[in-house]
Amino acid sequence: MTTFNDFGLHADINRALAAKDYTVPTPIQTQAIPPLMKGRDLCGIAQTGTGKTAGFSLPSIHHLLTYPHRPTPRGCRMLVLAPTRELAAQIAQSCRDYGRFTKLSVSTVFGGVPINKQIRDLAQGVDILVATPGRLLDLIDQRALRLDDVEIFVLDEADQMMDMGFIHSLRRIAKLLPSRRQNLFFSATMPKEIAHLAEQFLNDPVTVSVTPQATTVEKIRQFATFVEQKEKQALLHSIVASEDIDRALIFTRTKHGADRVVRHLAGAKIKAMAIHGNKSQSQRTHALQAFRSGEIKLLVATDIAARGIDVSGVSHVINFEIPNVPEQYVHRIGRTARAGAEGKAISFIAPDERPYMRDIERVTRSKSEPMPLPENFNEMVRNLPKPVQPPRDTGSQGRNPQRQREDAMRGRGPGKPGGDRGPRRDGAAGEGAEGQRKRRFRPRNKSVGAHKGAVKRVG
Ligand code: AMP
């Protein structure tokens, strides 16, 4: 069996791994670390929960330590791009953990928080920068950051980046990177357009793939209840009352729907919080912390907000609404049954959602066990407590005219995904057409002058 000692990682990294009690590498680590240590490019098909963060950060930290030099002012040696703030923060924390016995500096930049501190953090340059694409480009445009000294470039959750309309931003970023660099590309799924994107970024990559979807799903007990849409809230209350829940993630399709579920639960004096793209950064951080610490047991989330979040001890995933893309279902239920623990997924299926569920069962090659409605369900529906009224500013779209106006100005209509707040020059508008254009990246090694010229606003 492979152990971490077999990789020949820097002693300071091995110390950090021992401190974290990691002894056996996960399959993606076993496959990815040796070629990465040799400087190869890598295309990893893996989702969060497989240990991919250590898979890419350990050999990268090893490289930074083996070839030590100070980062250039406003520069970074390793750049990791992630689609959401939560994932960016999580990756940065992992890098700090794995590099805790080294002097490497780690910074995170994402939208929704003041930019000035981030500008100051970057002034001296950093070893590892974890960023979301929108804020990264803002910093570049403000001349607070340059990418011409990046040695290692990691693109994480590429499929979600595409879903969120970041393709245009990725193209801009790629043009600013030096041509000599190591590239790592991760995606949970590899449909054609993602494979095409990977080709554009990678140079003779090693491909590694872990956890075929069916295997992930096998560890999770899946249940399905057929219920009318308008009766789902009563079903949720009944499940919260009857199941032995440590932590449950409840998924809705829309941000508005997530807020509604929370208000209904509050009406029944059940504590829950929502996390979605229209919540302020501090609301999102607070909700996640409360969920992590056990202060709340129920977190209601949209798909985009929840992707990549790694919270241990999630005993239940409840699909309040069924996703219309089967892969999304796999991502959702993958939040439970972490690290070999048993998890339970319960799907509420309204009549018009049955076709989605059939697609899901086909793709996952699994079938949910039927979970009947509780005996006194009609009575529960009749006696469902009224939801609490929304506070003046819930941070939710549809309830905040100011935010609606801002979103309209950014070209984000209601219901469109929006994970990375802040000026969205790279917003979703027009991404469809942009995504169709098959242009190849030609990363060039630029002088500072050329670099400045290249960051003029496009589109
Ligand atoms: P990731 O897929 O990178 O988000 O990692 C999922 C979780 O697994 C994180 O909580 C990591 O701390 C943990 N983890 C990663 N690699 C290992 C390992 N080799 N042994 C034990 N836990 C690990």
Side-chain angles (χ1 to χ4, degrees):
M1 188 201 296
T2 313
T3 68
F4 279 107
N5 287 332
D6 299 330
F7 295 135
L9 288 161
H10 193 283
D12 288 345
I13 301 175
N14 283 332
R15 254 180 94 195
L17 293 174
K20 276 188 87 67
D21 264 343
Y22 288 7
T23 44
V24 182
T26 66
I28 185 115
Q29 291 160 3
T30 307
Q31 291 179 51
I33 293 175
L36 287 175
M37 298 273 282
K38 290 191 189 129
R40 294 285 303 267
D41 278 10
L42 183 105
C43 179
I45 306 163
Q47 60 191 72
T48 306
T50 53
K52 74 180 152 99
T53 315
F56 68 71
S57 49
L58 300 179
S60 302
I61 293 172
H62 175 85
H63 166 90
L64 299 178
L65 294 172
T66 311
Y67 304 96
H69 66 82
R70 286 174 71 86
T72 43
R74 294 178 291 119
C76 64
R77 298 188 63 193
M78 173 181 179
L79 172 65
V80 184
L81 285 185
T84 63
R85 311 159 204 187
E86 284 77 14
L87 185 59
Q90 208 168 277
I91 293 170
Q93 189 51 50
S94 298
C95 290
R96 285 190 190 103
D97 288 351
Y98 303 138
R100 63 186 273 202
F101 297 110
T102 75
K103 291 204 168 70
L104 294 177
S105 52
V106 182
S107 274
T108 331
V109 296
F110 44 67
V113 291
I115 200 166
N116 287 347
K117 181 174 180 302
Q118 298 178 351
I119 292 176
R120 281 197 302 277
D121 286 351
L122 295 174
Q124 300 304 314
V126 292
D127 291 299
I128 301 172
L129 179 65
V130 189
T132 55
R135 180 54 65 92
L136 186 89
L137 285 171
D138 283 343
L139 286 159
I140 289 170
D141 288 350
Q142 296 198 23
R143 311 258 159 89
L145 175 67
R146 39 191 282 197
L147 302 183
D148 42 7
D149 284 322
V150 170
E151 293 159 52
I152 302 167
F153 173 64
V154 183
L155 183 60
D156 200 12
E157 305 251 350
D159 49 355
Q160 186 168 0
M161 293 265 195
M162 294 286 266
D163 287 352
M164 292 174 71
F166 280 133
I167 180 71
H168 183 57
S169 305
L170 296 181
R171 288 214 164 103
R172 276 195 65 200
I173 293 164
K175 282 186 194 153
L176 301 173
L177 293 165
S179 50
R180 245 180 84 88
R181 58 175 204 255
Q182 186 179 22
N183 298 290
L184 287 65
F185 184 102
F186 289 91
S187 189
T189 54
M190 197 54 71
K192 257 200 212 118
E193 72 271 19
I194 307 288
H196 182 65
L197 183 73
E199 250 174 53
Q200 295 174 323
F201 268 98
L202 298 167
N203 181 13
D204 187 24
V206 176
T207 300
V208 302
S209 171
V210 294
T211 48
Q213 292 172 350
T215 323
T216 317
V217 171
E218 268 161 23
K219 280 197 303 192
I220 301 161
R221 289 195 69 192
Q222 300 172 77
F223 297 89
T225 302
F226 294 109
V227 60
E228 293 296 327
Q229 182 65 34
K230 60 180 187 304
E231 296 174 350
K232 284 185 173 181
Q233 193 72 40
L235 180 61
L236 179 62
H237 292 202
S238 130
I239 283 178
V240 169
S242 61
E243 288 280 322
D244 189 10
I245 292 177
D246 288 331
R247 282 192 188 86
L249 258 174
I250 300 161
F251 283 95
T252 59
R253 268 210 296 261
T254 65
K255 305 166 195 180
H256 183 53
D259 284 336
R260 204 168 34 224
V261 168
V262 170
R263 288 201 308 276
H264 263 285
L265 288 166
K269 306 241 176 315
I270 302 169
K271 253 170 101 177
M273 288 183 191
I275 184 166
H276 55 64
N278 281 355
K279 292 280 186 194
S280 69
Q281 180 56 37
S282 61
Q283 285 170 319
R284 291 167 69 154
T285 308
H286 175 61
L288 205 53
Q289 269 168 2
F291 190 56
R292 279 215 170 98
S293 70
E295 183 193 329
I296 54 161
K297 283 184 168 190
L298 310 177
L299 186 68
V300 188
T302 55
D303 289 296
I304 297 259
R307 269 284 293 274
I309 290 178
D310 176 39
V311 177
S312 56
V314 174
S315 57
H316 290 70
V317 167
I318 297 174
N319 294 307
F320 192 90
E321 281 150 348
I322 307 301
N324 46 15
V325 183
E327 281 79 14
Q328 204 71 279
Y329 176 87
V330 178
H331 290 312
R332 283 184 182 187
I333 72 170
R335 311 295 90 212
T336 179
R338 283 286 170 82
E342 277 240 329
K344 210 166 178 181
I346 305 174
S347 298
F348 296 1
I349 305 169
D352 63 343
E353 291 174 317
R354 288 183 190 212
Y356 298 149
M357 200 61 202
R358 274 197 294 275
D359 281 354
I360 288 166
E361 291 185 341
R362 211 177 43 238
V363 168
T364 60
R365 298 188 294 277
S366 66
K367 195 148 180 63
S368 295
E369 299 167 42
M371 182 185 256
L373 289 168
E375 268 174 18
N376 54 345
F377 189 59
N378 287 341
E379 201 180 314
M380 293 180 80
V381 171
R382 271 197 306 278
N383 297 334
L384 185 70
K386 292 245 170 312
V388 298
Q389 286 307 305
R392 272 223 187 95
D393 182 4
T394 56
S396 166
Q397 203 163 333
R399 307 231 153 245
N400 181 337
Q402 170 64 24
R403 180 155 287 132
Q404 268 189 328
R405 271 196 299 280
E406 285 169 13
D407 283 347
M409 282 164 69
R410 286 183 208 135
R412 275 196 344 211
K416 286 203 184 134
D420 188 20
R421 183 77 54 62
R424 281 286 296 265
R425 255 150 270 200
D426 54 336
E431 287 299 341
E434 178 62 42
Q436 304 300 316
R437 240 180 284 152
K438 306 249 187 286
R439 220 188 317 138
R440 246 190 114 72
F441 291 123
R442 275 197 203 88
R444 279 162 288 169
N445 209 350
K446 287 181 197 309
S447 68
V448 177
H451 164 90
K452 278 180 194 155
V455 296
K456 268 196 236 135
R457 237 197 231 208
V458 200

